[in-house]
Amino acid sequence: SRQLPRPMERTTRWRGPPLVYLAVGFGLGLLISAASRSRGGQPIATTVERQAPVTVGKRPVPIGSRRPAASATTPHSREEPRSDLWRTYTSSPLAVGSPPPPPPRRSPPPPRASALKALWRPSSPLSEAEAASFAPALRPLLRRPARRLRRRSDLFGPLPVLDTPASFGLPTGGDSGGGGGTAVAAGGSALRCEDGHGAFDVYTGGCLCRTGWRGPTCAEADPQTCNDPRTAGVKPGRCTHPSGCGPGCACSRGTEYSHMLSRCAASCDLESNRCLCGSRARYPRRQMNLCEWRGIEKALEWKDPGWAHYRITEPWRLWGSPNSTPPDLAAALGPAELHRMWATAPPHSATRAYCDIDEAALARGVAPLFSCGCYEDATGAACELPVRSVCLNQCNAPQGVCVRGWCRCAAGFGGADCSIALPALAAPREVDGGSSAAGGAGEGRGRLRPSVFVYDLPSEFNSWTAETRMTASDCVYRRYKEGNETVWENYAFGLELALHEALLVSPHRTLNPRDADFFFVPVHGGCYISRFTRPTPRHNLYVKPRGGAPILGNAHYRAALDWVRSRHPWWNVSGGADHMFAFPHDEGSCVAPIELRPAILISSWGRTELGPRNSTTTMGEHNWYNRRTLPLMYASYRCFEPGKDIVMPVFTSLSQLATSPYVAEGMPRGGAAARPAPKRRLLFHFRGQILRYVPTYSFGIRQQLLGLYGCKTGKEIANPKDLVGVPWCGPDVVVSDRHTTNYLDEMANATFCGVFPGNGWGHIESPLLLGCIPVVVQDGILTAWEDVLDFDSFALRLPRAKLPRLAEELRAVPPERVAALQAGGRRVWERFTFSSLGLAEKRRMCGGTHFTAAADGCVPRLGAPGGKHSQAFLASSAITGQDAIATLLQLLRARLLERTSPERG
């Protein structure tokens, strides 16, 4: 047999002359270079097919992608400028699995390394004292400098390459004015978004229509009717009640189709389902909200006059003559009936009727014969006085104008809040510097990581809720009254709106999705679900599939996901693992589509149980547990996944900041010392809803507490100053389900305050704001920031088994421990508020009634009005903006460091 050569001999045998190998390598280099030039300057190996991702280890990787070697230079690698938008936007929806469009022939020269560092830098690490408020596991990440953060292309391989803005007619300058802009149809012909009906979307190359319009250019009407056209009543043998009782059941009158909060006794504005006086009135667009004329049921399907607190009056108090009434009402009643209604009208009704009274007379103090309700953008006896409407960041005026909840951007600006400077998209170095938005993303500052890309969605997923609201306080955390003074609302589901606004103007926002570490999908689903209790023809539970609001909310979020996936490639790049959705409703992300399981779900309900078998709500229309529809929901897996999902505080009114002792200590007093904190005379306090005869509510915890410590005599505390010696089943324990105006005062006088589940989340926010130590009793359910902050340093968690000995357990806490918990609460209380939104509003109010611009910023005006809607508390030095939103971004920074650390490989 032949003897094999020794290793050295084998190596020597295959070694060729060095010059030959150099020649071969040179020839191969020429071939590769020629092929690269034929593909527009891009290396052959960088083409990626966008298909459904697969999972390798813990990282989803697009099928067909080829990871470059660590030393290889590929498009969009670390050397490429982060402000390069030439390959960022696409002119048509990107179907999953479609091949990438051809890349541009030229790429802009990369800026110097110093310029890159100035444009894009990691946020600063926290100091030792700042990091001490966080959970021990997070502290090392938060203190670590982020010098070597890797980019998304290093994690997921080469990213999709998209078309240039110029290829789909990116609007520049005046071409984008009035909320319009130029788009390109699939065939390549130029389209223009109808002026005032929609806005150009620079990311998809299409038009995003405002409520009331649809079509490729937003030129087609999409009627938002006020009255339901269906016949009243329910067919025999069928029940459409949202609770879903079986055939032949007795239905409540909630199935009556005329029971719409938008129902109109005059003329309906089909853009916004608003009720107006009508075309024949002297003031056709004068608002007639929540009012009706006596006898309306003769002309329209109108069940139960006065339903929903509608105000009823004679028709001649609304219109000065029969000829002023809307044409359709006149046709329905007939001339004879119409004139009979005016037979008893006094002579002065012609000039003082609500729809016809002159505005000059109103200015002189003449009162109309009747007053209807106004919508959110008007006030006065006849809704004649304009009031500022509420829009996202108030459209960053003067970059845009707020029109009934929708931003109409000025020439050269775009985006949901007009914060995108459209001409800047053609100047790459300006884009990552951001816009000039207030609070802002720009002002010459560099961008911060983690970077967040905020999707622009069609109006049906967010601004629709603002454009069609029936009352000024509906689904908003702030509104404006006469004189445009700010009023803070206690909107419990305001988390979704707060995140949307704050991220749009955050220095962490990126306009380039290729640079994003995280993506936020701004669906206002909390409002969408809660709005079913305020029905309109386009949004009600009367004739819907069984499952009520949860299944419809589930479908709403799924529709938003489908829209994102069909028009953007970024979900498929990571499998959705870097996408964030907000679920602020009572039971949080239990109702989320199961397709969102990989995503980061933000809520205030941290129920960690796997496969929960019940809903905690007492409202049948909000009960998500239905075996038929459960497989569609995240709750079929769980409602909250620790380590992936995030529990944030429940939104509470910013006006509560004025009640905090910490805020009072920081108020400017002209050098005077802060007042000492009041002595806390109560050991324990809990006052809230307790449904005594509904065992599933609160898992029975609140009911058990009331049975143990509730006052059997029913005696109430008349004055919080007289707390000593009051018999309350124990002189220092308050447990009650009765309402009192002294609720916050009682809490401020207590050492410990209860935090229990209700229809979903309970409230930890108010106790911390008022200096009361939270006592959490909810086994298996995390409360806000419990797994993020050092929870044991400012709160107590007790198992439910210890509830019968609650008072004894609290009395046994040593004074030193109580003092340490109170000190911990002082360090973290602002992280349970949304104070940065107040500071943003303060900047917008500069030069107004309460604040004036000065060299050191916004300062209170001397003699600024106090009272119910005073904003003076925003001048407190205790309000720093290190709130819940700042805490979220710090948590995302820690997660980014963990997933992109070089040590992770």
Side-chain angles (χ1 to χ4, degrees), residues 561-693:
L561 174 62
D562 291 343
W563 190 93
V564 167
R565 294 181 67 177
S566 65
R567 289 162 176 80
H568 296 269
W570 312 112
W571 173 277
N572 291 331
V573 169
S574 66
D578 50 10
H579 280 57
M580 300 184 292
F581 290 76
F583 290 86
H585 209 263
D586 292 336
E587 294 188 76
S589 52
C590 294
V591 301
I594 189 62
E595 294 88 341
L596 294 185
R597 180 173 170 177
I600 301 169
L601 307 185
I602 302 173
S603 71
S604 301
W605 182 235
R607 186 177 181 181
T608 59
E609 177 185 359
L610 282 170
R613 307 297 293 175
N614 69 296
S615 171
T616 58
T617 184
T618 59
M619 297 176 283
E621 66 272 19
H622 288 164
N623 189 328
W624 53 260
Y625 189 77
N626 183 312
R627 291 185 179 181
R628 185 175 62 87
T629 58
L630 186 61
L632 300 173
M633 299 192 178
Y634 190 49
S636 63
Y637 165 55
R638 65 196 314 171
C639 293
F640 174 83
E641 183 174 350
K644 176 182 76 72
D645 300 332
I646 299 173
V647 186
M648 287 189 68
V650 178
F651 191 94
T652 53
S653 174
L654 271 72
S655 62
Q656 279 198 25
L657 291 173
T659 66
S660 173
Y662 309 124
V663 173
E665 291 172 7
M667 292 297 293
R669 303 180 185 279
R675 290 174 293 184
K679 183 179 178 181
R680 298 181 180 269
R681 300 168 180 171
L682 288 175
L683 172 70
F684 178 80
H685 177 273
F686 177 79
R687 186 186 288 275
Q689 179 173 269
I690 303 175
L691 302 179
R692 308 181 187 211
Y693 307 109

Side-chain angles (χ1 to χ4, degrees), residues 231-482:
T231 305
V234 180
K235 295 179 180 179
R238 183 186 175 198
C239 179
T240 57
H241 189 266
S243 62
C245 52
C249 67
C251 296
S252 73
R253 50 185 231 173
T255 57
E256 170 55 52
Y257 300 149
S258 69
H259 286 165
M260 300 290 166
L261 197 63
S262 60
R263 69 181 187 176
C264 179
S267 178
C268 182
D269 178 5
L270 296 180
E271 283 191 32
S272 60
N273 62 292
R274 288 185 172 188
C275 192
L276 307 176
C277 283
S279 59
R280 301 200 301 177
R282 183 173 184 181
Y283 293 93
R285 297 195 62 81
R286 185 163 285 174
Q287 300 172 1
M288 284 184 58
N289 189 23
L290 295 175
C291 67
E292 60 187 71
W293 47 275
R294 189 166 283 109
I296 179 64
E297 63 273 10
K298 299 177 183 179
L300 298 174
E301 194 68 42
W302 198 275
K303 193 75 171 179
D304 300 323
W307 172 81
H309 305 289
Y310 269 65
R311 286 171 276 186
I312 306 175
T313 189
E314 303 299 330
W316 50 263
R317 294 180 183 273
L318 296 171
W319 295 280
S321 71
N323 295 330
S324 297
T325 59
D328 52 346
L329 293 183
L333 289 171
E337 178 66 18
L338 201 62
H339 283 81
R340 187 194 65 77
M341 290 181 171
W342 264 260
T344 59
H348 63 272
S349 65
T351 57
R352 291 182 55 194
Y354 175 82
C355 291
D356 297 328
I357 186 171
D358 188 66
E359 290 185 354
L362 292 170
R364 294 195 305 269
V366 179
L369 296 177
F370 185 78
S371 289
C372 290
C374 304
Y375 296 101
E376 51 107 16
D377 55 357
T379 189
C383 303
E384 77 280 8
L385 302 176
V387 174
R388 181 180 297 160
S389 184
V390 177
C391 283
L392 291 170
N393 295 312
Q394 295 310 116
C395 307
N396 289 295
Q399 294 171 197
V401 177
C402 182
V403 181
R404 205 189 66 227
W406 179 75
C407 284
R408 184 172 183 175
C409 300
F413 294 95
D417 64 342
C418 305
S419 59
I420 300 178
L422 296 181
L425 295 179
R429 295 197 183 188
E430 297 176 13
V431 175
D432 279 320
S435 71
S436 58
E443 302 170 358
R445 294 198 294 263
R447 288 291 182 179
L448 300 179
R449 292 185 75 181
S451 55
V452 181
F453 178 78
V454 183
Y455 284 102
D456 277 350
L457 300 181
S459 61
E460 64 188 274
F461 298 115
N462 41 55
S463 67
W464 168 84
T465 61
E467 294 182 74
T468 60
R469 58 177 169 256
M470 295 289 101
T471 60
S473 59
D474 188 21
C475 290
V476 292
Y477 68 83
R478 72 171 185 278
R479 62 179 175 88
Y480 300 94
K481 63 172 186 173
E482 185 176 351

Side-chain angles (χ1 to χ4, degrees), residues 75-280:
H76 308 290
S77 64
R78 293 174 185 158
E79 287 75 20
E80 185 187 71
R82 290 204 171 265
S83 55
D84 178 10
L85 294 186
W86 266 258
R87 294 181 295 278
T88 301
Y89 308 111
T90 177
S91 60
S92 60
L94 292 174
V96 176
S98 61
R105 293 186 177 180
R106 286 188 177 182
S107 297
R112 296 187 303 273
S114 59
L116 284 176
K117 185 177 180 181
L119 283 175
W120 198 267
R121 57 189 175 87
S123 54
S124 301
L126 299 185
S127 66
E128 187 78 25
E130 292 171 327
S133 298
F134 286 81
L138 290 176
R139 291 173 194 168
L141 290 171
L142 293 169
R143 292 196 301 262
R144 182 192 302 171
R147 298 189 184 94
R148 299 179 61 191
L149 282 178
R150 296 184 297 175
R151 298 184 55 176
R152 300 181 76 244
S153 57
D154 301 321
L155 295 173
F156 304 118
L159 300 179
V161 178
L162 308 179
D163 274 346
T164 69
S167 68
F168 55 81
L170 176 67
T172 57
D175 194 35
S176 62
T182 302
V184 170
S189 58
L191 301 174
R192 181 174 178 81
C193 303
E194 190 70 23
D195 189 22
H197 295 175
F200 180 75
D201 182 13
V202 297
Y203 298 101
T204 63
C207 297
L208 295 178
C209 303
R210 67 176 301 187
T211 301
W213 300 95
R214 64 187 174 194
T217 63
C218 307
E220 304 171 27
D222 183 22
Q224 307 290 311
T225 56
C226 300
N227 300 326
D228 197 304
R230 293 172 291 192
T231 305
V234 180
K235 295 179 180 179
R238 183 186 175 198
C239 179
T240 57
H241 189 266
S243 62
C245 52
C249 67
C251 296
S252 73
R253 50 185 231 173
T255 57
E256 170 55 52
Y257 300 149
S258 69
H259 286 165
M260 300 290 166
L261 197 63
S262 60
R263 69 181 187 176
C264 179
S267 178
C268 182
D269 178 5
L270 296 180
E271 283 191 32
S272 60
N273 62 292
R274 288 185 172 188
C275 192
L276 307 176
C277 283
S279 59
R280 301 200 301 177

